[in-house]
Amino acid sequence: MSENLVLPLSTASARPATSAWQRLAFVLAGVALAVLPLFLLESFHLFQLTMAVIMALAVLGLNIVSGYNGQISLGHGAFFAVGAYVTAILMSHLDWSFWATLAPSAAICGLVGYGVGFPALRLGGLYLALTTFSLAVAVPQILKHKAIEDWTGGVQGLFITKPEPPTWLPLAITADQWMYLVTVGIAAACFLLAWNLIRGRIGRALMATRDHPTAAEAMGMDTATLKTRAFATSAMITGIAGSLSAVAVEFVAPDSFTFGVSITLFVGMVVGGVASILGSLFGGLFVLFVPNIAEAISKAAPGVIYGIILIAFLFILPDGFAGLLRRIAAKLRGR
Amino acid sequence: MDGLAHQVIAGIATGGIYASVALALVMIYQATHHVNFAQGEMATLSTFIAWSMVQAGMPYWVAFFGTVVVSFVIGVLVERILLRPVQNAPVLTHVGVFIGLLLIVGNLTGWVFGYTTKVFPTPFSSEKPIMGGLVSAHELGSTAVTLVVLTLVFLFFRYTSLGLAMRAAAYNPRSARLVGVRVGWMLALGWGLAAAIGAVAGMMVAPVVFLDPTMMLGILLYAFAGALLGGIDNPSGAVIGGFAVGVLENLAGAYVVGTELKLTVALAIIIGVLVVRPSGLFGRVVTSRV
């Protein structure tokens, strides 16, 4: 790929330059905002926030393949499940530490993602949605199957424990607080990686492949490789979120990974903002806290409200919550 | 050998259900190039409507035809209210709307009718065994109903002017518009018909799998598999595909993988068809010039 062919595209994503001081201020504010809940929230709410960050990470994974690359996946719950199970199996059967399971989890999810992304190449957008939808529906059944019951624990699932806070910390913190810090740290790292990926040459290639595959190919982009690798990366990130969720909940079972997880991630992506890194964060917060509120009305209410909000966003705010913020910001700046 | 024959016949009976749902999917796909992920949930809602009618004391066949009419109206309304405003939107929006519809209809059904499993009546029962006990009265009856529906749909599209107009609207909307076909309404009618066919399928399968809000999820998967196997743009292909998948599923369930992996069989069929022959057995191979 010749460099000057790619250059014209890069001007499109040019942003107003920020000084090093401004950047430092942003980072510090972000760190403060992330650490603050440690001191403000009691253990249950901290756990919920941990789960929200995990969901945000999973939505980020989905956003890379569906938002930025335009391959609609309705089955990301499957990768979430694979990540959770890899961590749970390694921790409970082989006594690995949580940290050690992250790399195998990411690798296996990446491989599975590659495996799903490969046939996806031959399918148009809709067929992929259909295949991944079927995958999501079939996952609990596969997890329950007798052949792998020795490893997966069958219907009963597996119990694991949260990592203990290390002793070298200056402050004595609880396991819940440590779990929150671990989650935020890993999520922040993944968000940063995704941010860099999307901002750079590969990100532009992903979007070009989404917006005009023929033109992208004519410009010399290997769309097939891009698509399968996007799928693998996306599965990897969602899988890491799954690993985190396994230790945060301290339990995995087939019925926690129904078709509903995939739908939740999809709803989170649309509501937060399709093709938006920041939107994934809003999506995670949304999918965790809105059902909690809605559940007070009825067991079925979260689903109904999800559906209504999903359709309302698609009709009124197709670029999601992040898009809304962007528009407000643009208006304020224009004044 | 009797076991095998029974599995094949039972497979044909369930295959009829898959064929109906597959036909409903293909009808919407042909007209709009979208796959209605909420088709199963809409059919479940219809079945619950039929159940309430029967509970209210209506005779079975009155409830049956009443439900078909109500489902038709629901289908038309869904197209007019939810799909029409986004007809030129990107695929992601459509998939999103279908998923939203699935969530709303599925959960509303659970909210209104409850999550407990209900027994759904069958109009077909017989004291003495049919064909030496190889086939149950309900299997025979539901296969007959499915075949009648499929024949009616075929006759409608082949021999009525409305059917011709609908085919024209699906095949070439712009030209159809120019000769005076009201394309928008044809799409809505297609949705209504699909919902009505789905309702029949739901009412025929409910006595077998029992009625609960998630009853159709697995069936929808098989219908997808059937539609893809037969070719998603070919209605008669989808019907044949549906029957084939029904038999395949039953044989695989009985002799190969057992009942716990039945959904995985559907997934395998879907992936297999898409990888080996994406246009299905009877579908048109589409090549486009860029």
Side-chain angles (χ1 to χ4, degrees), chain A:
Chain A
M1 196 189 298
S2 142
E3 267 306 306
N4 49 4
L5 270 180
V6 189
L7 269 175
L9 269 173
S10 68
T11 47
S13 68
R15 331 182 118 260
T18 44
S19 74
W21 285 111
Q22 264 175 315
R23 256 190 232 173
L24 188 67
F26 271 128
V27 170
L28 285 181
V31 170
L33 203 67
V35 176
L36 206 60
L38 267 188
F39 307 103
L40 295 181
L41 296 178
E42 59 204 293
S43 127
F44 175 65
H45 288 122
L46 198 62
F47 168 72
Q48 281 194 316
L49 197 61
T50 309
M51 287 311 289
V53 175
I54 292 172
M55 292 315 276
L57 189 57
V59 172
L60 174 74
L62 177 61
N63 229 331
I64 286 181
V65 79
S66 294
Y68 286 102
N69 198 219
Q71 305 189 69
I72 302 167
S73 166
L74 293 175
H76 259 54
F79 305 123
F80 196 75
V82 171
Y85 263 92
V86 168
T87 290
I89 289 172
L90 290 178
M91 283 178 75
S92 69
H93 288 288
L94 304 177
D95 281 328
W96 286 30
S97 84
F98 166 66
W99 296 101
T101 68
L102 279 177
S105 163
I108 292 174
C109 288
L111 270 180
V112 175
Y114 200 83
V116 175
F118 198 69
L121 280 180
R122 314 189 56 168
L123 329 171
L126 202 62
Y127 292 102
L128 179 61
L130 214 152
T131 313
T132 47
F133 178 91
S134 321
L135 178 68
V137 174
V139 157
Q141 232 186 20
I142 299 174
L143 290 176
K144 276 179 207 169
H145 194 256
K146 275 196 215 78
I148 50 172
E149 204 171 46
D150 286 343
W151 289 98
T152 59
V155 186
Q156 268 81 41
L158 294 169
F159 289 90
I160 47 180
T161 47
K162 280 188 183 130
E164 283 296 314
T167 45
W168 47 260
L169 279 179
L171 290 163
I173 60 173
T174 64
D176 283 330
Q177 285 171 321
W178 177 240
M179 190 64 226
Y180 172 76
L181 279 179
V182 167
T183 306
V184 168
I186 293 175
C190 290
F191 269 85
L192 192 69
L193 289 175
W195 177 261
N196 279 334
L197 183 79
I198 294 304
R199 254 186 354 163
R201 187 174 63 86
I202 294 173
R204 288 194 301 276
L206 288 179
M207 286 181 261
T209 311
R210 170 195 66 189
D211 294 334
H212 207 312
T214 320
E217 209 153 1
M219 303 262 291
M221 289 167 202
D222 187 351
T223 49
T225 311
L226 275 170
K227 279 180 162 183
T228 39
R229 290 195 183 160
F231 222 108
T233 313
S234 151
M236 221 183 253
I237 293 179
T238 304
I240 290 175
S243 292
L244 283 168
S245 94
V247 277
V249 182
E250 304 190 296
F251 174 60
V252 292
D255 289 325
S256 334
F257 301 104
T258 56
F259 169 57
V261 179
S262 303
I263 295 300
T264 303
L265 296 180
F266 185 81
V267 174
M269 179 182 74
V270 171
V271 171
V274 177
S276 160
I277 301 267
L278 194 63
S280 310
L281 199 59
F282 297 129
L285 292 171
F286 173 86
V287 296
L288 199 91
F289 289 109
V290 169
N292 280 341
I293 302 163
E295 210 141 75
I297 307 172
S298 149
K299 189 188 159 205
V304 177
I305 290 174
Y306 257 21
I308 294 172
I309 292 181
L310 179 63
I311 291 181
F313 262 87
L314 288 168
F315 275 42
I316 305 163
L317 271 177
D319 42 5
F321 197 67
L324 179 69
L325 286 187
R326 219 178 296 141
R327 262 188 262 170
I328 293 174
K331 237 181 207 152
L332 287 179
R333 223 177 286 140
R335 215 163 24 143

Side-chain angles (χ1 to χ4, degrees), chain B:
Chain B
M1 209 52 218
D2 256 17
L4 180 67
H6 179 79
Q7 289 301 336
V8 171
I9 289 174
I12 290 174
T14 40
I17 311 292
Y18 302 154
S20 312
V21 182
L23 180 66
L25 287 169
V26 167
M27 282 185 57
I28 291 181
Y29 182 83
Q30 254 200 323
T32 59
H33 284 264
H34 298 136
V35 169
N36 182 5
F37 289 99
Q39 193 81 60
E41 260 60 27
M42 286 168 63
T44 312
L45 176 66
S46 301
T47 314
F48 268 102
I49 293 172
W51 179 79
S52 345
M53 286 182 180
V54 171
Q55 291 292 303
M58 277 189 207
Y60 182 87
W61 290 107
V62 175
F64 180 91
F65 287 108
T67 303
V68 169
V69 173
V70 172
S71 307
F72 181 85
V73 175
I74 293 178
V76 171
L77 286 179
V78 164
E79 200 278 338
R80 293 273 100 179
I81 298 169
L82 287 180
L83 273 307
R84 189 117 178 92
V86 293
Q87 59 177 347
N88 295 321
V91 186
L92 184 82
T93 309
H94 279 110
V95 173
V97 169
F98 287 128
I99 293 297
L101 189 64
L102 181 154
L103 286 169
I104 295 174
V105 175
N107 287 291
L108 262 186
T109 311
W111 200 347
V112 175
F113 298 99
Y115 287 94
T116 48
T117 308
K118 294 173 176 63
V119 177
F120 193 82
T122 167
F124 314 106
S125 54
S126 142
E127 293 301 310
K128 51 179 191 264
I130 305 162
M131 290 165 67
L134 263 184
V135 56
S136 77
H138 178 77
E139 280 170 352
L140 202 63
S142 74
T143 311
V145 168
T146 312
L147 289 176
V148 168
V149 169
L150 298 177
T151 316
L152 282 180
V153 170
F154 173 74
L155 294 178
F156 170 75
F157 278 111
R158 187 75 183 77
Y159 292 109
T160 65
S161 52
L162 189 59
L164 180 65
M166 285 178 68
R167 277 192 292 152
Y171 187 71
N172 193 339
R174 205 176 291 171
S175 302
R177 189 88 196 86
L178 284 173
V179 295
V181 174
R182 301 182 64 181
V183 173
W185 272 107
M186 293 305 126
L187 295 185
L189 277 185
W191 263 82
L193 270 182
I197 297 171
V200 174
M203 286 185 280
M204 287 302 119
V205 82
V208 184
V209 298
F210 298 107
L211 183 56
D212 82 82
T214 58
M215 135 184 122
M216 291 299 271
L217 196 57
I219 293 167
L220 184 69
L221 223 54
Y222 279 105
F224 279 153
L228 285 172
L229 185 63
I232 194 153
D233 51 6
N234 182 336
S236 35
V239 169
I240 299 171
F243 277 109
V245 166
V247 174
L248 217 61
E249 174 227 347
N250 253 9
L251 291 181
Y255 300 109
V256 188
V257 293
T259 48
E260 305 102 37
L261 276 184
K262 278 194 164 188
L263 288 175
T264 318
V265 173
L267 177 68
I269 296 176
I270 291 173
I271 293 183
V273 170
L274 287 175
V275 169
V276 178
R277 202 183 155 88
S279 54
L281 294 177
F282 309 100
R284 260 182 314 139
V285 178
V286 182
T287 45
S288 58
R289 234 190 141 93
V290 288

